């Protein structure tokens, strides 16, 4: 029997399910380390926290369909895609759940797939997500078309063409055809595996370690009865907070010794901290957003949050927007319509900074009061759609004319 057959026998003698992590293992070698895969990585606290931050932030952003009108852009809330992408993508998911799943799949598998369902006018009416581990992507050698082969739970398979599958690839491309995105888990398997090893070590240490905080050393052999009495005496006299600071008198050559902190254990804690930083670095997530506050201050958290919006969420949003424009709008509407995630909600500063920003833009004639109110989720006001300029600022050559006019009046 070949190595592959022996591996199947070891796993139980049956073929694993199509969505099993087994099919994504790069080598059939068995080891004591837990398998590092897209699903198993989510059982690691730091990795799961990073995925949640990105996925939930993406899902909370408003996705707007815009229509170009000359040099202006206007929200097109009546566009069929506006309801699908912003409210209900299908008959069992909300838009939040859909984009949250999209973020989760992109940050673990490196790809997001959804089957496209259209109406009689060829407008997208629904998007049905498909697990990435059940999709095989290949370019047909004869036609050159991209074919998505989907394996369902019953073992059956169905081939879908590019216009039937909404596909968002992640960072880079994997494979000869350069179609499928690279999985972050596959790219950083060693770092994630080291974190899993550290967690396994910690679990075994606390499950098996029986090292006392202190012990009594005796020059001779002490029987079990004496040990029990001696332990009870010391716990009664010196155990608990109420007895803290009392002095003990030892006789018979006995000594009370404490167990020092093991340097290996201290290095283990340092390794745990480093691995949290390493996983946060993989996803470009600020440490304070995954509850690691060692280096966080009140002054830098706000700027780190804005940086998260600029350098983490903005590229993800841009990647998704371009795919929506290319696949769901296409050449037919792409010239006049596009979609955009609204990032203002996660990139704006504190209330004082926002007030100064709006004040400067409004008084300089670059923003209407209603535009500022809408950004702050306030209702527009009558007359607030006009541009204003600070009345105290006038051209220098007009200053004398205004003074003469006041004198004449």
């Amino acid at each position: 029997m070949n190595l592959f057959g022996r591996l199947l026998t070891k796993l139980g003698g049956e073929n694993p399910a199509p969505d099993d992590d087994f099919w994504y293992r790069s080598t059939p070698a068995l080891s004591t380390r837990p398998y590092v895969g897209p699903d198993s990585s989510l059982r690691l606290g730091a990795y799961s926290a990073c995925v949640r931050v990105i996925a939930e932030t993406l899902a909370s952003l408003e996705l707007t369909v815009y229509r170009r009108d000359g040099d202006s852009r206007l929200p097109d809330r009546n566009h069929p895609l506006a309801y699908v992408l912003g409210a209900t993508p299908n008959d069992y998911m909300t838009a939040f759940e859909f984009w949250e799943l999209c973020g989760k799949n992109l940050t673990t598998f490196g790809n997001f797939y959804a089957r496209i369902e259209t109406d009689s006018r060829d407008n997208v009416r629904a998007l049905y997500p498909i697990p990435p581990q059940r999709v095989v992507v290949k370019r047909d050698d004869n036609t050159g078309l991209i074919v998505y082969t989907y394996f369902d739970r019953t073992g059956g398979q169905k081939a879908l063409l590019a216009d039937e599958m909404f596909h968002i690839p992640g960072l880079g491309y994997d494979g000869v055809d350069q179609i499928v995105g690279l999985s972050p888990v596959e790219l950083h398997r060693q770092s994630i595996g080291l974190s899993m090893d550290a967690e396994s070590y910690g679990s075994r240490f606390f499950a098996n370690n029986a090292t006392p905080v202190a012990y009594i050393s005796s020059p001779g052999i002490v029987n079990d009865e004496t040990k029990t009495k001696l332990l009870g005496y010391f716990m009664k006299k010196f155990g608990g907070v109420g007895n803290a600071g009392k002095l003990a008198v030892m006789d018979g050559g006995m000594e009370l010794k404490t167990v020092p902190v093991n340097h290996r254990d201290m290095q283990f804690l340092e390794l745990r901290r480093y691995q949290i930083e390493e996983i946060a670095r993989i996803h470009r997530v600020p440490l304070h957003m995954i509850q690691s506050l060692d280096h966080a201050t009140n002054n830098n958290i706000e700027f780190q949050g804005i940086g998260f919006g600029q350098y983490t969420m903005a590229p993800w949003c841009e990647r998704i927007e371009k795919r929506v424009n290319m696949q769901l709008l296409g050449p037919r509407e792409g010239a006049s319509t596009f979609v955009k995630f609204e990032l203002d909600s996660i990139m704006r500063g504190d209330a004082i900074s926002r007030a100064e920003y709006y004040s400067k833009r409004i008084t300089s004639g670059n923003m209407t009061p209603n535009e500022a109110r809408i950004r702050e989720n306030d209702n527009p006001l009558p007359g607030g759609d006009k541009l204003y300029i600070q009345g105290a600022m006038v051209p220098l050559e007009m200053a004398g004319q205004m003074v003469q006019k006041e004198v004449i009046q």
Side-chain angles (χ1 to χ4, degrees):
M1 183 182 295
N2 60 24
L3 184 61
F4 182 74
R6 292 199 301 271
L7 181 58
L8 287 181
T9 302
K10 189 171 185 66
L11 289 174
E14 298 180 357
N15 289 344
D19 59 344
D20 194 282
D21 273 345
F22 164 79
W23 301 109
Y24 291 85
R25 301 186 187 188
S26 56
T27 120
L30 295 173
S31 65
T32 57
R33 170 184 286 183
Y35 171 63
V36 181
D39 288 326
S40 60
S41 64
L42 292 177
R43 290 192 283 272
L44 192 63
Y47 199 95
S48 178
C50 289
V51 170
R52 283 193 60 186
V53 166
I54 294 175
E56 292 176 354
T57 303
L58 177 67
S60 65
L61 298 175
E62 182 181 357
L63 183 59
T64 305
V65 179
Y66 285 100
R67 173 173 47 84
R68 290 184 176 90
D69 184 10
D71 294 333
S72 302
R73 63 175 190 176
L74 302 173
D76 190 355
R77 296 181 177 85
N78 295 323
H79 194 282
L81 206 57
Y83 181 77
V84 174
L85 299 179
T88 308
N90 51 59
D91 56 2
Y92 64 92
M93 299 180 79
T94 65
F96 185 95
E97 295 162 346
F98 181 85
W99 293 116
E100 182 184 47
L101 179 61
C102 174
K104 175 259 182 185
N105 286 350
L106 285 173
T107 50
T108 52
F109 291 94
N111 293 273
F112 175 71
Y113 302 97
R115 181 173 59 84
I116 302 173
E117 186 175 291
T118 58
D119 58 18
S120 58
R121 296 184 178 181
D122 210 25
N123 292 319
V124 178
R125 64 177 300 271
L127 295 169
Y128 293 94
I130 297 176
Q133 60 269 45
R134 295 187 182 180
V135 179
V136 175
V137 187
K138 185 178 180 182
R139 188 181 295 276
D140 188 272
D141 294 334
N142 298 322
T143 63
L145 298 176
I146 299 175
V147 179
Y148 297 86
T149 304
Y150 162 55
F151 296 86
D152 59 28
R153 293 182 178 180
T154 63
Q157 63 184 55
K158 183 178 181 181
L160 301 174
L161 296 178
D163 60 350
E164 300 173 293
M165 180 73 81
F166 178 47
H167 174 206
I168 305 174
L171 175 67
Y173 285 108
D174 191 14
V176 178
D177 293 326
Q178 300 289 287
I179 301 171
V180 180
L182 291 166
S183 167
V185 177
E186 296 291 337
L187 285 174
H188 304 282
R189 183 190 296 269
Q190 294 299 326
S191 295
I192 299 170
L194 183 59
S195 297
M196 289 182 173
D197 289 342
E199 282 206 347
S200 297
Y201 171 81
S203 298
R204 292 193 300 271
F205 177 83
F206 289 110
N208 301 324
N209 184 49
T211 304
V213 294
Y215 64 94
I216 299 174
S217 175
S218 172
I221 299 175
V222 180
N223 58 44
D224 292 342
E225 182 180 356
T226 303
K227 290 179 183 178
T228 302
K229 290 181 179 180
L230 190 61
L231 178 62
Y233 170 79
F234 267 88
M235 290 301 296
K236 180 179 179 181
K237 291 291 185 180
F238 307 107
V241 178
N243 294 321
K246 289 185 177 180
L247 296 176
V249 178
M250 311 295 295
D251 56 10
M254 293 185 177
E255 296 181 31
L256 180 63
K257 297 183 177 181
T258 59
V259 179
V261 177
N262 193 321
H263 289 286
R264 185 183 63 181
D265 299 336
M266 294 179 64
Q267 291 174 354
F268 165 70
L269 296 177
E270 290 297 324
L271 173 63
R272 293 274 290 164
R273 293 192 188 97
Y274 171 76
Q275 285 308 118
I276 291 175
E277 294 180 6
E278 183 74 1
I279 291 175
R281 188 179 296 116
I282 291 172
H283 293 287
R284 284 190 297 189
V285 172
L287 287 171
H288 75 273
M289 302 189 80
I290 57 173
Q291 305 306 307
S292 180
L293 303 174
D294 292 345
H295 306 292
T297 66
N298 291 332
N299 294 328
N300 66 18
I301 280 182
E302 179 185 346
F303 294 102
Q304 289 184 48
I306 295 175
F308 171 71
Q310 290 178 328
Y311 305 115
T312 303
M313 294 311 303
W316 280 119
C317 291
E318 185 77 12
R319 181 184 301 274
I320 296 170
E321 291 163 3
K322 296 299 185 185
R323 278 283 165 170
V324 171
N325 296 336
M326 182 181 77
Q327 289 192 259
L328 302 184
L329 292 172
R332 186 181 66 169
E333 296 185 88
S336 60
T337 309
F338 65 97
V339 301
K340 194 75 177 173
F341 281 102
E342 307 300 339
L343 289 167
D344 288 346
S345 60
I346 64 171
M347 294 179 66
R348 60 187 185 182
D350 56 63
I352 295 177
S353 300
R354 297 200 309 273
E356 292 178 353
Y357 169 75
Y358 293 138
S359 177
K360 290 180 179 179
R361 289 204 62 183
I362 292 173
T363 55
S364 63
N366 289 310
M367 174 183 283
T368 67
N370 278 345
E371 287 175 334
R373 292 182 63 84
I374 290 173
R375 289 195 180 188
E376 291 295 309
N377 293 320
D378 294 329
N379 292 326
L381 295 175
D385 293 322
K386 297 180 180 180
L387 291 173
Y388 295 87
I389 190 168
Q390 180 61 258
M393 296 178 63
V394 296
L396 184 61
E397 63 270 13
M398 294 182 60
Q401 299 176 13
M402 296 181 65
V403 172
Q404 292 178 1
K405 184 177 180 180
E406 291 179 0
V407 171
I408 294 174
Q409 290 179 349

